[in-house]
Amino acid sequence: MDMSNLNASYQVPTTPNIRIHKDHSLDIQSGLHIRGMTKTVNEQGFLSAVYEGKTHEDLHTCMFFCFLSQEEPKRVTKALSDSAWVKAMQEELLQFRLQKVWVIVDLPKGKWAIGTKWIFRNKKDKRGIVIRNKAILVAQGYTQEEGIYYEEVFTPVARIEAIRLFLAYASFMGFMVYQMDIKIALLYGQIEDEVVKSIYGLHQAPRAWYETLAKYLLDNGFHRGKIDHTLFIKKQKGDILLVHVCVNDIIFGSTKKELCLEFEKLMHDKFQMSSIGELTFFLGLQVKQKEDGIFITQDKYMTDILKKSMIRSLMYLTSSRLDIMLAVCACARFQVTPKVSHLHAVKRIFRYLKGQPKLGLWYPRDSPFDLEVYSDSDYVGASLDKKSTTGGCQFLSKRLISWQCKKQTIVANFTTEAEYVAAAHCCRHVLWIQNQMLDYGFNFMNTMIYIDNESTICIVKNPMFHSKTKHIEIRHHFIIDSYEKKLIQVIKIHTDYNVADLLTKAFDVSRFNILIASIGLLNL
């Protein structure tokens, strides 16, 4: 592609170009006509008449609607007929030129070129208003062959539990979490092949970008999390700066605000980035940071999926709404061969969500920071195959950061076996959290796992009950080793106070409401 005549500045038309005009330039390399940069008296009068007495925010909404395209074109020919998309394409090619993504060469003999494709997306704010037209030139990665075009492609991905843990720590320490977005992030990656720069769509592009970013942070005093490689930590004179990376989205916070400012400058020096400010939206989670804590919800996402009843959408909603997790997991087992009864069950879930749209997790600031865990199982909870259901939830005091609801892979012979398997599954998550918290400076030993089955506690404390457990798979017995190393403690709790019951059984309305309030699921 010849980019020598790409203009760094755009030609402003002398004739106003608003929504009703269709005389767009079809030449992407020529001077670009930007709509709305010149206004006549008539245009100004129109806007003032429409927005007389309206707020400043409403005026911006009108500006976005008038001067940005509201439709995502499916074909490049359609995009070339709209100057808003032509401008977006021009900006993308300009970034390619600035980053020296490619040079024009003859195709080597015996080689096949990887094609490209334009993708057009409208970027929206939290209200659903289009605020930017984004055109992305991507490689047709599906034409790549493993072993010829690429080898290793793995790149770390942030776990949703790790993000909740990050926010729980921020609420405990009382610092603000900020967000930044790296523009054209993947173009910074270096690929050690005949292609010298990464580009969106290539299989190895995300890995190349992560390695570029990680090396830059490590060279500037950060160290990487031992368990979570998307977490980077920098400690300075008793203060700590935490950075979580999810491709081109980065959240960060510190016990000292000056460290946040230094980090922003550090990133500005290397990458083109935009500082979004306080964290409000990340990985589908809406975050409200208050003086007395942090509130996590997904009410906007819930409103969207009400229009497209789908189990997969509901599964992601359980990232903050564990009150529906048991029902959603039960319905998910019938996705391959659903019946009318399953459709009715899904519709019932949506009716409940419509009546409770604002529920979210509350992380109070003035709460201690102790790791507590609850484990439970429902013996023969799945009536069709007679398998039991495992339930577990992990708290940092009153901050719920992780939970599980899963059908067991075995058919338990008795209740104690089902509870023992559930406790072992819960213990795995405890060990992950313990190792993760070492990066934050916390060493959680003797973590208490609350279980409402006395026999399960006896088996963990006394492995001599081999005649009762010799048929249980060996992989579940590691919980005994964790107990002997004093990594965990198993504590008896009455069933009425075991909040993990919410993830294993159905309850009446009064008991259900008590449980969701006990786990910190509130309406703010």
Side-chain angles (χ1 to χ4, degrees):
M1 181 180 294
D2 183 12
M3 302 176 65
S4 59
N5 62 342
L6 182 63
N7 294 330
S9 60
Y10 306 125
Q11 176 184 344
V12 179
T14 56
T15 303
N17 188 13
I18 58 175
R19 212 65 194 108
I20 60 173
H21 288 276
K22 294 299 180 182
D23 53 343
H24 306 304
S25 171
L26 295 179
D27 183 5
I28 193 172
Q29 298 291 358
S30 63
L32 182 64
H33 300 279
I34 302 178
R35 65 183 66 189
M37 291 195 66
T38 59
K39 296 185 177 8
T40 64
V41 176
N42 290 335
E43 287 182 86
Q44 295 174 350
F46 168 75
L47 289 177
S48 61
V50 171
Y51 275 89
E52 184 178 357
K54 299 294 183 180
T55 64
H56 182 69
E57 184 179 20
D58 291 332
L59 179 58
H60 276 283
T61 301
C62 179
M63 297 289 283
F64 283 135
F65 187 83
C66 289
F67 307 132
L68 291 175
S69 177
Q70 307 298 309
E71 180 183 357
E72 295 178 350
K74 302 298 183 183
R75 298 180 179 275
V76 68
T77 52
K78 177 70 174 177
L80 288 173
S81 66
D82 191 323
S83 64
W85 288 111
V86 174
K87 175 179 178 289
M89 296 164 74
Q90 192 87 319
E91 290 175 346
E92 176 79 349
L93 294 178
L94 178 60
Q95 293 299 330
F96 275 47
R97 182 179 183 182
L98 295 176
Q99 296 300 324
K100 300 179 181 178
V101 171
W102 55 42
V103 293
I104 305 300
V105 298
D106 294 330
L107 184 66
K109 187 176 181 180
K111 300 291 184 179
W112 294 91
I114 300 173
T116 57
K117 176 181 175 64
W118 282 103
I119 303 294
F120 305 99
R121 292 289 182 266
N122 281 332
K123 300 291 184 179
K124 301 180 180 179
D125 64 5
K126 60 184 180 182
R127 299 172 297 159
I129 303 299
V130 176
I131 58 175
R132 185 185 177 194
N133 297 139
K134 178 66 175 175
I136 308 172
L137 185 62
V138 303
Q140 295 173 333
Y142 59 85
T143 63
Q144 291 182 277
E145 296 183 25
E146 186 176 2
I148 299 177
Y149 296 102
Y150 64 92
E151 297 292 342
E152 184 62 54
V153 298
F154 172 78
T155 185
V157 178
R159 293 179 56 172
I160 199 70
E161 296 95 334
I163 301 302
R164 289 195 294 261
L165 194 153
F166 182 98
L167 295 175
Y169 178 77
S171 72
F172 173 69
M173 299 301 293
F175 63 74
M176 186 68 65
V177 181
Y178 301 95
Q179 184 177 9
M180 66 172 59
D181 174 70
I182 308 296
K183 298 180 180 179
I184 45 99
L186 297 192
L187 300 186
Y188 288 101
Q190 299 287 341
I191 296 180
E192 302 300 327
D193 290 309
E194 289 178 288
V195 182
V196 295
K197 279 277 191 175
S198 69
I199 182 175
Y200 292 89
L202 295 177
H203 284 284
Q204 63 270 49
R207 178 179 179 86
W209 154 243
Y210 171 79
E211 291 177 347
T212 299
L213 176 62
K215 183 179 185 304
Y216 181 66
L217 294 178
L218 295 175
D219 290 343
N220 284 276
F222 286 83
H223 68 270
R224 190 163 25 200
K226 295 180 180 179
I227 300 298
D228 187 354
H229 284 189
T230 63
L231 176 66
F232 294 86
I233 309 104
K234 186 175 185 179
K235 296 181 179 180
Q236 188 180 91
K237 297 180 181 180
D239 290 300
I240 185 172
L241 171 64
L242 300 167
V243 178
H244 241 300
V245 178
C246 185
V247 192
N248 63 327
D249 286 322
I250 297 177
I251 60 174
F252 60 99
S254 174
T255 52
K256 185 178 181 181
K257 189 172 182 179
E258 287 75 10
L259 292 179
C260 292
L261 298 177
E262 292 177 7
F263 176 69
E264 285 190 352
K265 182 180 183 304
L266 178 70
M267 297 299 289
H268 269 296
D269 292 343
K270 177 71 173 179
F271 308 107
Q272 293 188 45
M273 51 156 287
S274 57
S275 297
I276 300 176
E278 297 180 8
L279 174 65
T280 58
F281 189 82
F282 189 69
L283 296 182
L285 300 178
Q286 293 167 251
V287 180
K288 296 179 182 178
Q289 302 186 64
K290 301 175 177 289
E291 291 185 0
D292 57 343
I294 294 177
F295 186 63
I296 303 173
T297 184
Q298 289 179 279
D299 59 280
K300 181 182 181 300
Y301 177 77
M302 192 215 69
T303 302
D304 293 338
I305 67 173
L306 282 174
K307 305 172 184 177
K308 55 172 185 179
S309 177
M310 293 174 63
I311 286 293
R312 188 174 299 176
S313 301
L314 286 172
M315 288 297 291
Y316 189 72
L317 185 60
T318 60
S319 296
S320 66
R321 295 291 299 267
L322 70 161
D323 53 330
I324 64 169
M325 193 161 189
L326 176 63
V328 171
C329 289
C331 293
R333 299 167 190 164
F334 302 96
Q335 288 189 89
V336 178
T337 55
K339 297 180 180 178
V340 175
S341 58
H342 304 133
L343 178 61
H344 290 328
V346 172
K347 287 185 176 180
R348 187 172 182 180
I349 296 173
F350 276 99
R351 283 197 296 271
Y352 166 74
L353 290 174
K354 192 172 183 179
Q356 295 283 355
K358 301 292 185 180
L359 281 179
L361 295 174
W362 173 243
Y363 292 168
R365 178 177 180 179
D366 59 352
S367 177
F369 208 66
D370 302 316
L371 181 57
E372 298 177 352
V373 181
Y374 295 83
S375 173
D376 188 48
S377 79
D378 182 25
Y379 179 60
V380 196
S383 58
L384 293 180
D385 53 11
K386 306 302 179 184
K387 292 181 179 179
S388 304
T389 301
T390 288
C393 45
Q394 296 80 40
F395 293 81
L396 286 171
S397 191
K398 294 184 180 298
R399 307 171 186 88
L400 180 61
I401 60 171
S402 181
W403 55 88
Q404 304 81 43
C405 175
K406 185 179 180 181
K407 186 168 70 171
Q408 296 180 1
T409 57
I410 63 164
V411 177
N413 291 330
F414 47 93
T415 303
T416 300
E417 181 181 354
E419 294 278 1
Y420 183 78
V421 172
H425 185 268
C426 197
C427 183
R428 289 200 292 269
H429 291 272
V430 171
L431 298 181
W432 177 82
I433 295 172
Q434 287 178 337
N435 286 302
Q436 181 82 341
M437 292 309 300
L438 291 175
D439 293 325
Y440 289 79
F442 289 86
N443 189 358
F444 290 123
M445 298 290 289
N446 285 314
T447 297
M448 292 180 288
I449 300 181
Y450 293 101
I451 305 172
D452 57 11
N453 185 278
E454 190 72 45
S455 299
T456 299
I457 296 175
C458 291
I459 293 175
V460 174
K461 292 183 175 181
N462 186 4
M464 293 303 293
F465 289 108
H466 58 274
S467 62
K468 300 289 186 182
T469 62
K470 61 184 179 182
H471 64 287
I472 299 177
E473 295 180 9
I474 295 176
R475 63 190 179 95
H476 298 300
H477 293 303
F478 81 96
I479 188 175
I480 299 176
D481 182 63
S482 299
Y483 174 79
E484 292 175 348
K485 292 178 179 178
K486 300 188 181 302
L487 296 175
I488 64 167
Q489 288 290 336
V490 283
I491 309 295
K492 178 70 169 65
I493 188 175
H494 194 277
T495 302
D496 291 344
Y497 303 103
N498 190 350
V499 295
D501 266 4
L502 182 65
L503 299 166
T504 60
K505 306 173 187 70
F507 295 97
D508 56 54
V509 175
S510 59
R511 174 64 176 163
F512 181 78
N513 290 333
I514 292 173
L515 285 173
I516 64 174
S518 300
I519 62 178
L521 202 59
L522 306 176
N523 231 326
L524 288 188

